[in-house]
Amino acid sequence: MTTRPVAEIADRYRWFAQVEAAGVSPLYEAFAASIAADADVLAFLADLPAGKQQPNLLLAALQYLHGTATSYPELRNWVLEDADRVRTTMLTHATQTNEPARCAALLPLLAGFSEPLTLIEVGASAGLCLYPDRYAYDYGGHLVGGPSPVTLSCELSGPVPVPARVPKVVARMGVDLNPLDPADPDDRAWLHALIWPGHPERRSRLDAALDLAAAEPATMFTGHLLDQLPVAVAAAPAASTTVVFHTAVLAYLSDDDKAAFIALVGGLPVRWISQEGLGVLPAVRDRLPAPAPGDRAQLVLALDGEPVARTAPHGGRLDWLAAT
Ligand SMILES: C[S@@+](CC[C@H](N)C(=O)[O-])C[C@H]1O[C@@H](n2cnc3c(N)ncnc32)[C@H](O)[C@@H]1O
């Protein structure tokens, strides 16, 4: 088992507190900072495989088992007194946060392709980003699509090509190591546990999007994206534009697998949209203008490898880059 020194785990929790949770979830910011200074909880984490020590995974496991802690002593008690169940939950689950609000960043690009579209999402989780045509959008007061039980609000800056309508989609396919079932109560409970405290709107949006996906299931391929993407592309209906996209996925790949994915997608007859953390795709990052303050916590939206916008990690903000 690959492990990691306690000091590195503490750094990771400090980073999560100061960069990822800061300004988004004050409770998680405080919890992660406290964990980074708690030798007992760090020792619990150090016993887990290196790939199972992330803040998101521990915090989600605790929400899944116990609900949201109201204080750090309560949380630490859950970790130390209920260590077996917390460990088992972390070993049997993964960080699969599925945020349909990320579709508000995808839509302006999707609407620019010739219709109809075949959508293939790699790292789809429960597939909630495969329904951009089923959601309604409020782009700073400019309404697109709908009516829908899910309205995605998104603040804009820069020359965003806000579309007049949503595009026609003829096929939706997802690839995931472990596709989650939108109709399964336990999968739904895990997806809820992955939502950070302080965002009740994300919970209601999740339920509405899961209901919508359960009523119109996407085709899901189980396995590694390198193996399953060619299978999905081969299943795309003729006479459609095939769009391969991924949001918050490639950070889970090794550098070799990432390079293999970029080569694979570049050789397929598809358009390619990525929405990933800064630095996850170095070739995209290197084409960005100088980073702005706070960039480290943002995602970068790119079309066929060219950056077009910065976006908020869980949706709600789209900052289009000025044309160069
Ligand atoms: C953080 S979730 C993002 C889900 C969705 N794209 C979204 O933005 O809401 C990452 C997903 O990628 C999947 N994943 C990670 N590595 C993968 C791989 N090598 N092949 C297929 N799926 C993978 C995980 O199982 C998980 O469901």
Side-chain angles (χ1 to χ4, degrees), residues 131-157:
Y131 299 83
D133 54 324
R134 295 289 186 252
Y135 302 142
Y137 300 83
D138 180 348
Y139 288 110
H142 185 113
L143 305 181
V144 182
S148 169
V150 179
T151 296
L152 305 177
S153 298
C154 187
E155 290 174 27
L156 307 179
S157 75

Side-chain angles (χ1 to χ4, degrees), residues 303-318:
L303 172 60
D304 299 327
E306 283 297 326
V308 295
R310 293 185 168 88
T311 73
H314 298 117
R317 169 126 228 114
L318 179 56

Side-chain angles (χ1 to χ4, degrees), residues 94-100 102 121-129 175-180 221 223-226 245-250 252-253 257 275 313:
T95 49
Q96 293 195 260
T97 308
N98 202 183
E99 183 42 85
R102 290 172 177 148
E121 184 182 15
V122 293
S125 184
L128 302 184
C129 294
V175 172
D176 205 285
L177 289 172
N178 177 44
L180 297 179
F221 296 86
H224 197 291
L225 50 82
L226 288 176
F245 68 96
H246 46 91
T247 80
V249 172
L250 296 194
Y252 294 93
L253 301 192
D257 280 358
Q275 189 174 195

Side-chain angles (χ1 to χ4, degrees), residues 278-306:
L278 190 77
V280 170
L281 286 171
V284 170
R285 180 200 53 208
D286 294 347
R287 288 186 181 83
L288 275 172
D295 250 6
R296 290 187 307 172
Q298 292 188 333
L299 304 185
V300 181
L301 181 72
L303 172 60
D304 299 327
E306 283 297 326

